Amino acid sequence: MPLSLVTTCALGLEEILADELRNLAAEALEVGRGAVTWKGGWPEVWRANFRLRTANRVLVELGSWAAPDGDALHAGAFRLVAEETGRPWAGVTAGELFHPDRTFALRATARSSRLTDPRWVALRVKDGLVDGQRRRWDRRGNVERRRPDLALRVWLAGDRASLLLDTSGDSLDRRGYRVAGGMAPVRETLGAAVVLASRWEGRGPIVDPMCGTGTLLAEAGWIALGQAPGRLRSHWAFEDLPGFDAAAFERIRGEAVPAPGGGEGVRLYGVDADPQAVAATRTNLTRAGLASCCELSRDDAFRYDPPEGPGLLVVNPAYGERMVEEPDQWHRLGDLLKQRYRGWRAVVLAGDKGKGKWIGLRPRRRIPVKNGPLDARILIFDLY
Ligand SMILES: C[S@@+](CC[C@H](N)C(=O)[O-])C[C@H]1O[C@@H](n2cnc3c(N)ncnc32)[C@H](O)[C@@H]1O
């Protein structure tokens, strides 16, 4: 019996994440809001954690039950632990998973439910779980918030509760290359989405003329070279779960990752007006193992002479800062694209609707996304 899996992502990235999952041959995909559900076994869970670029987390649904009130919430959780359901989770039984020697943490969210206080929801489910442990083993497991053996989540939607097990641990955007920070860096998952949304064929140079801390370049470089996003991570929560097979995961780590243009001759060019940003990009790209294929310079994006193309331009202008809040600055960016990047593909991570229009070019594709709390758009231009 395959696992029911939920992969979460930032709002707007669902279709890009679904494409990534299709490329991993995930089965029974369903695209939701901020999540894609699918089915697979434990090796697929390990591979998804290692290979997905736009996902925040991979969760296993352990159970789902009607929970119109607190007693029903408690009873459903109790049953999951106290009774073997006869449906182990791809070979892992309730007896192994919920053994009281394992520490746990539990968080809840409630949506469209009469039970509106997530902390109370979490408490009722936790009581159900530990009462189930007492029934089965005469003792209960301990709560550990920092690095629990079992990181559990309860999602209450209407009258239905689901208990999910987090297999990722730290969110998957924590790639491990961002050692130097800077002004408004984008999350690595959104940076990857910008590159993947361009459907770039992998030929020609990649330029970010306002590179900040280098996130877009690092993600583009890893995609172009077929480097997995998990390559620098040292830990995932699934490594602490029963049934984890370290040798099988080593084989997954060794699998070839497709590179769009075959991964040959990848060149990354980063430019920023701020010398500290250039230094941060250098540090981060070095940590990402990309130092030998990048050229960085301190320059004004509007004066910078790009390398011979065509290639891919990626840019996340400093919106939120005064200078690109002005329509003029967006016009200037549009002019820059038309004049210096003719024949290139360009992806702009821009602010709300109006600002995209100010560029004065018709995007081939426009994808509304959330950049943290801000509304943003991924705009894709073919500059032919
Ligand atoms: C929003 S940040 C980019 C963040 C970057 N995507 C990251 O993830 O770290 C915008 C960057 O544009 C740079 N910038 C603004 N105007 C510029 C210009 N005219 N030429 C070059 N860089 C510029 C700023 O110094 C800043 O580092």
Side-chain angles (χ1 to χ4, degrees):
M1 191 80 153
L3 300 164
S4 294
L5 299 161
V6 182
T7 305
T8 60
C9 64
L11 289 179
L13 302 192
E14 298 89 348
E15 289 295 343
I16 301 173
L17 172 60
D19 275 346
E20 284 203 88
L21 280 160
R22 272 180 210 109
N23 290 338
L24 293 182
E27 289 179 5
L29 283 187
E30 280 183 39
V31 176
R33 193 176 138 75
V36 180
T37 59
W38 52 291
K39 298 215 184 283
W42 289 106
E44 284 73 35
V45 169
W46 308 330
R47 185 177 293 107
N49 272 289
F50 185 62
R51 293 268 293 270
L52 291 175
R53 301 182 192 278
T54 57
N56 290 340
R57 293 175 183 285
V58 183
L59 308 163
V60 178
E61 190 182 285
L62 299 176
S64 159
W65 65 97
D69 55 38
D71 287 346
L73 263 178
H74 178 282
F78 178 88
R79 271 196 307 276
L80 268 177
V81 178
E83 301 160 14
E84 282 299 341
T85 56
R87 273 191 51 199
W89 299 286
V92 175
T93 62
E96 291 168 301
L97 199 64
F98 292 112
H99 193 279
D101 283 350
R102 312 177 69 76
T103 59
F104 70 97
L106 201 147
R107 283 167 49 185
T109 50
R111 183 163 50 88
S112 321
S113 168
R114 274 170 284 177
L115 311 176
T116 51
D117 180 354
R119 277 171 311 182
W120 186 80
V121 169
L123 201 64
R124 292 299 288 156
V125 173
K126 187 209 81 184
D127 287 347
L129 293 177
V130 298
D131 287 346
Q133 288 177 316
R134 285 199 192 95
R135 166 70 59 90
R136 206 168 169 157
W137 291 282
D138 273 335
R139 63 193 175 95
R140 55 160 285 183
N142 290 326
V143 171
E144 154 70 51
R145 282 186 218 293
R146 242 176 41 82
R147 188 165 145 181
D149 296 322
L150 291 184
L152 300 167
R153 287 165 188 244
V154 184
W155 288 356
L156 193 58
D159 281 349
R160 198 126 197 111
S162 305
L163 186 69
L164 298 121
L165 172 66
D166 177 14
T167 66
S168 303
D170 277 345
S171 161
L172 296 176
D173 63 273
R174 303 276 176 90
R175 309 277 205 246
Y177 62 71
R178 187 182 287 156
V179 280
M183 191 189 83
V186 294
R187 282 179 74 184
E188 293 80 341
T189 38
L190 181 55
V194 165
V195 179
L196 293 175
S198 76
R199 305 239 165 93
W200 183 58
E201 294 91 1
R203 282 186 291 278
I206 303 166
V207 172
D208 183 346
M210 300 188 187
C211 64
T213 60
T215 316
L216 300 184
L217 289 174
E219 292 299 323
W222 279 9
I223 290 168
L225 288 165
Q227 303 275 17
R231 59 190 290 262
L232 294 181
R233 256 175 91 107
S234 55
H235 184 258
W236 290 264
F238 62 71
E239 293 172 278
D240 302 329
L241 293 175
F244 174 61
D245 179 341
F249 182 50
E250 249 343 276
R251 286 194 292 280
I252 286 172
R253 289 186 80 118
E255 289 170 354
V257 177
E264 293 296 318
V266 173
R267 298 300 303 163
L268 307 170
Y269 296 82
V271 176
D272 204 287
D274 176 354
Q276 282 181 357
V278 178
T281 297
R282 193 176 306 285
T283 305
N284 293 341
L285 292 189
T286 302
R287 177 88 183 102
L290 296 168
S292 64
C293 59
C294 73
E295 276 178 41
L296 306 177
S297 45
R298 183 192 163 204
D299 206 341
D300 181 343
F302 299 99
R303 277 202 302 265
Y304 173 70
D305 206 9
E308 193 175 336
L312 177 71
L313 176 133
V314 289
V315 66
N316 163 217
Y319 71 77
E321 291 294 297
R322 242 186 72 77
M323 61 167 289
V324 279
E325 283 292 314
E326 313 287 343
D328 282 7
Q329 295 294 338
W330 288 95
H331 281 314
R332 271 189 87 197
L333 183 63
D335 289 346
L336 176 72
L337 299 188
K338 281 183 252 179
Q339 287 158 11
R340 298 205 181 195
Y341 295 91
R342 183 176 289 271
W344 290 51
R345 186 164 300 172
V347 200
V348 180
L349 179 61
D352 58 26
K353 280 182 202 143
K355 288 164 191 166
K357 278 189 200 140
W358 293 337
I359 290 180
L361 282 164
R362 185 184 290 279
R364 173 166 57 81
R365 240 178 117 196
R366 182 188 285 117
I367 306 170
V369 292
K370 279 279 184 198
N371 181 7
L374 302 172
D375 283 327
R377 298 276 183 285
I378 299 175
L379 304 171
I380 299 147
F381 302 94
D382 288 325
L383 304 168
Y384 307 134

